[in-house]
Amino acid sequence: SFFGDSPHSATMTSIARAPTTASPSARATRRRARRAATTPSASANEERTTSTFELERVVEPLIAETKTLNEGIAKFYDESSRVWEDVWGSEGGDGTHMHHGYYRRGEPVNHAKAQVDMIEESLRWAGVREVKRVLDVGCGIGGSSRHMVRKYGCEAEGVTLSPVQAARANALAKEEGVENMAKYRVADALNMPFEDGSFDFVWSMESGEHMPDKKKFVDELARVCAPGGRILIVTWCHRTLEPGQSALEPAERVLLDRICDAYYLPAWCSIADYKALAEDAGLVDIETEDWSEEVKPFWKGVIKTALTLKGVIGLLKSGAATLRGALVMPLMQTGLATGTIKFNLITMRKPPL
């Protein structure tokens, strides 16, 4: 995922929703709520993070409605993946990796290196030293899992909702000479076509955001993980609520709603929610981490790339949905800067038999 329609509370009911996209009337209701959240009585922070004029709405009438969330996600990545690979890949990033970079403090910004470092640092943090068979859940065009094939000599399977992504991932595997080791297919991450206990390592790099039922997502990762195997989820979350809070602040919900609409995301959850779900699934040795500071330079680079002539042309050619996604990129910066959005990791093991 490099880039919805729901309230954003930390209750468990908020992270298990039906996979549907917003209707025009639902979007209108949310816009009224957003205007209410930006009245003169709103705090200074709320005024900074919301706006009564939402630029991305200008292109919304040009975007074809989809019947389900999964259809919207597939269509979004069918249309946007190539421009990401071509434009980001030619402007300093690594277009085969559709995720944030890991930026070490004090080092010069190198986006392509940072994206590879994100994979390496995630594996190191989770204590992954050997892999026989990895599942790349929400694989994009397969950059992470092909990296692991080269690193560990393992076999890899990847699933994505996008036929364009699956085809491109398989083509890149062939180009790199690993087509017998890395294979990609179209499948729903909440109902994967694999036997129980098929993989000793289950990897999800920025795909959990798209899962409408976070409990089913974690349960499915646990199902396909072999006894004694490891699961690693790297994902966007909203902040963990403070004691006494029952929901995010109105301006925070407005911010996340706008991002959800643009990137086809259902309800967000916190890393505390993920930890509770992992415990409920019977997983053990659960560890979490926050790399929100380490990813902050990423969006500045992506926005700069989008504003180049090649970036603008690519966005216009890709269609209105991709353009809408580009228009809300500054909101990701805002969310990370204010602490509403967190870049989190959670790793856990499936108990051995």
Side-chain angles (χ1 to χ4, degrees):
S1 164
F2 68 89
F3 296 46
D5 48 56
S6 60
H8 304 281
S9 72
T11 62
M12 283 302 170
T13 54
S14 77
I15 57 177
R17 301 181 64 254
T20 56
T21 51
S23 66
S25 61
R27 285 196 296 269
T29 299
R30 284 202 304 277
R31 283 195 288 272
R32 288 194 293 272
R34 289 171 189 142
R35 286 194 292 270
T38 54
T39 61
S41 62
S43 69
N45 186 57
E46 287 175 333
E47 289 173 359
R48 284 196 301 270
T49 58
T50 60
S51 171
T52 54
F53 178 69
E54 300 170 358
L55 186 60
E56 71 272 15
R57 302 302 167 194
V58 174
V59 300
E60 196 166 74
L62 304 176
I63 301 171
E65 292 286 332
T66 52
K67 294 181 180 179
T68 67
L69 176 62
N70 281 4
E71 287 180 16
I73 295 167
K75 188 173 186 294
F76 177 73
Y77 285 110
D78 280 350
E79 294 174 352
S80 65
S81 293
R82 194 70 201 207
V83 69
W84 175 262
E85 185 180 358
D86 291 346
V87 177
W88 177 245
S90 66
E91 295 291 335
D94 187 332
T96 66
H97 298 303
M98 304 181 73
H99 56 75
H100 284 74
Y102 179 95
Y103 300 86
R104 294 183 180 86
R105 296 178 190 180
E107 289 189 4
V109 171
N110 180 326
H111 294 298
K113 178 179 181 297
Q115 288 180 283
V116 175
D117 286 347
M118 174 59 73
I119 301 169
E120 285 290 325
E121 288 299 314
S122 297
L123 295 169
R124 181 198 59 76
W125 173 79
V128 179
R129 296 180 180 85
E130 181 182 357
V131 178
K132 295 179 180 177
R133 195 164 186 239
V134 60
L135 175 60
D136 189 350
V137 182
C139 62
I141 57 176
S144 296
S145 41
R146 287 195 307 278
H147 180 90
M148 282 182 260
V149 167
R150 294 189 296 269
K151 179 180 177 69
Y152 299 113
C154 63
E155 295 182 0
E157 294 266 3
V159 296
T160 172
L161 291 172
S162 164
V164 170
Q165 286 189 335
R168 182 59 180 153
N170 283 317
L172 287 169
K174 187 172 182 179
E175 288 179 19
E176 296 173 16
V178 295
E179 70 271 23
N180 293 327
M181 305 288 285
K183 301 180 185 300
Y184 304 92
R185 68 178 80 184
V186 174
D188 185 346
L190 300 186
N191 185 25
M192 293 186 283
F194 304 113
E195 297 294 326
D196 295 359
S198 295
F199 303 91
D200 62 311
F201 183 40
V202 180
W203 162 275
S204 169
M205 173 59 74
E206 297 187 45
S207 64
E209 302 88 331
H210 287 297
M211 306 301 166
D213 187 332
K214 299 295 193 288
K215 173 175 170 48
K216 190 171 182 180
F217 174 52
V218 173
D219 287 348
E220 185 70 351
L221 299 187
R223 182 187 70 80
V224 300
C225 185
R230 180 164 295 279
I231 299 167
L232 174 59
I233 302 171
V234 183
T235 188
W236 313 350
C237 292
H238 67 60
R239 65 174 176 83
T240 298
L241 298 184
E242 301 293 335
Q245 284 189 313
S246 61
L248 295 174
E249 297 296 330
E252 294 178 304
R253 297 198 299 271
V254 168
L255 178 79
L256 296 186
D257 274 340
R258 291 175 65 185
I259 294 170
C260 283
D261 285 349
Y263 295 150
Y264 294 89
L265 307 180
W268 294 53
C269 69
S270 71
I271 197 62
D273 294 327
Y274 265 117
K275 185 175 182 180
L277 292 173
E279 291 170 347
D280 289 345
L283 299 169
V284 297
D285 298 336
I286 303 168
E287 301 287 343
T288 65
E289 187 57 274
D290 181 353
W291 283 355
S292 301
E293 289 297 322
E294 285 78 4
V295 304
K296 281 184 177 178
F298 178 74
W299 287 100
K300 181 178 180 180
V302 175
I303 292 168
K304 183 178 178 180
T305 298
L307 294 174
T308 63
L309 179 60
K310 186 174 183 178
V312 172
I313 293 172
L315 288 169
L316 292 174
K317 286 183 176 179
S318 295
T322 304
L323 182 57
R324 178 177 64 176
L327 291 172
V328 302
M329 290 191 296
L331 299 183
M332 288 296 299
Q333 280 187 305
T334 298
L336 285 165
T338 60
T340 297
I341 294 174
K342 296 294 184 179
F343 190 91
N344 288 127
L345 299 83
I346 180 168
T347 188
M348 46 266 185
R349 286 193 315 111
K350 187 172 181 177
L353 294 175

